[in-house]
Each structure stands twice: as structure tokens, then as C-alpha cells.
Amino acid sequence: MRLKVIEASGKLGELTEASDELFGRDFNEALVHQVVTAFQANGRSGNRAQKGRSDINKSTRKPWRQKGTGRARAGMASSPLWRGGGRIFPNSPEENFTQKLNRKMYRAGVATILSQLVRDDRLVVIEDFKLEFPRTKLLAEKIKALGFARVMIVADGVDENLYLSARNMPTVLVTDVPRADPVNLMRFPHVILTRSALRKMEEVLV
């Protein structure tokens, strides 16, 4: 497998060799769906709470006698059947949404996504991506010169100047190889890998 390489000026350079196992996989929709769903679920926190019958501030007195009124039987006003009553199975902040995902399956899912990015011409390699000093305008001009608008930059080790320049740009994400998650890889129209990040990915994911 050979990947496109772009120079700092935005011109195409010589192609670079890359692992077929990482960038030449067939697309597996079921696997990608499972990996993305599990990743999002594992990042979810139980931050919602609902009241059960015991949490409702209502009297436990029987509203009316059991027989003879012509109305349905009722035990207390906090019944889930009543308006303002408690939930039968209330959500709690201790809910656990995590899904187990094997490491081999996760790596295969990320490799499948990377392979599809290559087929869609959305992934390119650059020799290096650094800034001399942190400045958002400078980074925006550099990305524009490369011919991109919304882009994800994956480096082996994130340069501090690059990170500080990009953190206020909603259209640019700068990250390193361990944090290159499947959701962002699919979300951004283009992905730029530095050459060192490419080799690191081959070490980690193959």
C-alpha cells in the first residue's frame, strides 16, 4: 500500500509505503458500527436521576376506601400509574453504560476506518507539522495553504505550539496516535498523519 504525501506548500510529494494490513482492509460496516457505538458508550457518564415511589414527596395514606366508591382501587398517590407518581424503574447516576470490546476488535475497527479514508482520498501523510510559536492565525494560514478546511492532525508527539494554536479552532483537531479515536477519524473530512505518526500507528495497530 502506498499513501499520498503532501509537502508544506501543499504540493504532492513522493508516495510512501504503508502497511496493507492497516490501510488496505475491506470495509466491514458491522465492525465499524460496533467499535464506534462501544467507544461512545464507554465515554458516557450516568448523569441523570429520576424519582422512584419512595422518593416522591406524597402522603402514603390510602386516597379512598378500597370498596364501594365505584372508582379503581388505589393504595397511595405516589403510584407510578398516577400523575406525579414515581417511576417504576428510575434512572440513577450510578448507571453503567460501558460495553466490552476486545482489543483485537478495536484495532481491526480503526484499521478498517483508516483503509476507507485512504479509498475516499481523505487521508494524507506529511513529513512533519510544527509551528515556531503558538498563534492561531498562523496555523489557519498553514492549513489553508495545504488545501484543507476541516482537518484532524495526528502526530507522534503533539507539539505544544501546535496544540495551543489549534485549541480555539473548532474545525481543527490536533491529537497523538493513542488518542486518535474512531469517532473523530470518521467525523473530520480530512485526516493528516505525520510520517512519524504513520510508523507509530503501524507499530501499535498492526
Side-chain angles (χ1 to χ4, degrees):
M1 171 64 66
R2 308 187 77 186
L3 301 181
K4 286 171 53 177
V5 178
I6 56 173
E7 299 174 354
S9 60
K11 296 181 179 180
L12 288 176
E14 296 182 1
L15 300 178
T16 183
E17 293 291 335
S19 170
D20 289 335
E21 190 174 347
L22 185 58
F23 295 100
R25 283 177 175 261
D26 294 331
F27 187 71
N28 187 336
E29 184 178 356
L31 175 62
V32 172
H33 178 270
Q34 187 172 353
V35 168
V36 170
T37 302
F39 180 84
Q40 291 178 319
N42 293 341
R44 184 177 175 184
S45 61
N47 55 4
R48 56 182 182 172
Q50 296 171 325
K51 292 184 178 181
R53 296 186 65 168
S54 61
D55 303 316
I56 297 296
N57 187 20
K58 289 183 180 294
S59 173
T60 57
R61 177 179 175 272
K62 192 173 175 67
W64 51 76
R65 59 196 175 96
Q66 181 80 350
K67 302 175 75 68
T69 63
R71 288 180 288 189
R73 294 171 294 186
M76 60 179 66
S78 62
S79 168
L81 304 179
W82 280 39
R83 183 177 180 272
R87 298 272 300 194
I88 299 177
F89 298 111
N91 299 117
S92 68
E94 289 77 30
E95 278 186 286
N96 184 7
F97 297 99
T98 58
Q99 298 180 15
K100 184 179 184 300
L101 192 67
N102 295 332
R103 186 179 303 173
K104 188 176 181 180
M105 185 179 294
Y106 178 82
R107 290 176 177 176
V110 173
T112 303
I113 293 172
L114 292 172
S115 300
Q116 188 62 36
L117 290 176
V118 173
R119 280 191 291 270
D120 293 342
D121 202 20
R122 293 168 52 193
L123 186 144
V124 293
V125 178
I126 194 169
E127 192 64 39
D128 201 2
F129 205 109
K130 290 184 178 180
L131 296 177
E132 296 180 359
F133 49 86
R135 191 176 181 188
T136 302
K137 183 178 180 180
L138 184 63
L139 177 60
E141 291 174 352
K142 189 169 185 177
I143 291 174
K144 186 177 180 181
L146 294 174
F148 301 116
R150 294 181 61 242
V151 66
M152 176 179 178
I153 303 169
V154 183
D156 183 13
V158 177
D159 179 54
E160 185 178 2
N161 292 338
L162 182 60
Y163 170 75
L164 293 175
S165 302
R167 66 178 178 175
N168 198 33
M169 297 178 67
T171 58
V172 178
L173 175 65
V174 176
T175 186
D176 54 3
V177 174
R179 295 177 180 81
D181 62 90
V183 175
N184 282 317
L185 285 173
M186 297 181 65
R187 182 168 68 92
F188 281 88
H190 294 95
V191 176
I192 297 177
L193 292 179
T194 63
R195 194 179 290 272
S196 58
L198 171 63
R199 301 309 170 206
K200 185 72 173 180
M201 274 190 171
E202 291 177 335
E203 292 176 13
V204 173
L205 297 176
V206 174

